[in-house]
Amino acid sequence: MYEESRVHLVVGAEQWVPWLRITEHPVTRELTYSGIMYNLLLALSQTMNFTYELRRPADGLWGVGFPNGSWSGMLGMVKRGEVDFALGPFAFNWERYHYACEFSQPIFVDYESVFVRRPGLETDLFAFSRPFQWQVWLGLAVVVLLTWTILELFLHLSPYEQETTMEDLKTEEEKIGIRRKMTRDQSNIMWIIRTLVNQSNPWLPKSDSRRVITASWLLSCIIFISVFSSTLTAMLSVPAVRQPIDSTEDLVRQDKVPWAIESGSFLYQILYQATEGIYKALWDGHTASITDCYTYRHDIAAGKYAAVCDKMTMKKVMSEDFSATGTCSFYMAREDFMSMPMALAFRHRHPIFPKANQRILELVNKGLVGAWISDQLPNSTACLGASGPTSPPDKHPLALKDYYGLFTVCAFCMVGCVAVLGVEMTMARFAERRRATER
């Protein structure tokens, strides 16, 4: 049995900011500790009169159980009796409680969620085409082709158009009549295109049937041009922000942002044992394993991957980032994935457990744990708003980058014109040489 005085305990601990921060002196290599769990350990040590030494797990993990009955991380140290208890804190479930440790009174309830780089303003190369989806553009092309077809069909079916055509052919030579017919065919499609791009064209059909079609097309063009112009102006004036990932379902449905999972964690064990559903999708789709989100926060900020981790760490990272830079580089999904009651892990039937559990309950009820958490998270709510830039301007003046796509199209058209001109000149030279040969 442990005596109430002069008891020396071995305590398992590993860095998990803001719960526990371990700092190594660059010269003496001495370790210093701070954070919520270290404050809790000091309070327990003073009220229960014990001394302690902190021991870190060799693998740096919290603990995962394996089919052979062994455990990794701090929970493995607890199970093997290498430490009296481990600070953690640990998310407890039945498997951990039954096979590895005995959990204390919960000190906090946290949640798992998705942590990702905050979406920012983006340059859209094809912004000029975004007012309509591709189905609208396809429908427009079909309508243009259909209108031209009807105009051509009515040209040959309408008696008024036929009479006019026969009169023209009677008074002109056959070649001139053919050229006029080609010009008339070209005028139909050119009139449609000119009207669509809001250019004037004096051409009008002579038959009433074709005039009805042209009137319908003119009305359609007025509506189309008005809607396109107003929508394009609005889209260019409002900053384009990529749709955020707001849930684990959003994460697994997209393929642009890879994601990582914290190895050796409570969630890691659940996911690698999953056989179906969202848990299986998260496990099958993850591309990296990280120790914790705080350590790999720079990779997340750089957009290397998203991460599924606890909200306390996310708030700490966002708090430090905003305090240091005044900007928000991270985004936390609005939808929580799962809840996690957090507690300390003791060896089963450890004699100090009942008294330690009572002290922990008192510290939680007195609000000390809540006060320690608040001290660790200044400015924690500054970046919890909707996704987008931290301080968007009141007005968004259009810049050169907003027209990159349009200038790109113009450049391709110019290159195409030069290529067509080269082909025309080559064919003209070839025809001239042919005529010279025939002479």
Side-chain angles (χ1 to χ4, degrees), residues 315-316 318-319 322 332 374 376-384:
K315 291 179 180 179
K316 180 61 175 178
M318 296 167 77
S319 170
F322 186 80
M332 179 171 60
S374 298
Q376 290 289 327
L377 302 175
N379 299 318
S380 61
T381 60
C383 297
L384 296 182

Side-chain angles (χ1 to χ4, degrees), residues 20-35:
L20 183 66
R21 187 190 294 270
I22 303 175
T23 307
E24 185 178 16
H25 194 279
V27 179
T28 63
R29 318 300 291 181
E30 182 181 356
L31 299 180
T32 56
Y33 302 88
S34 61

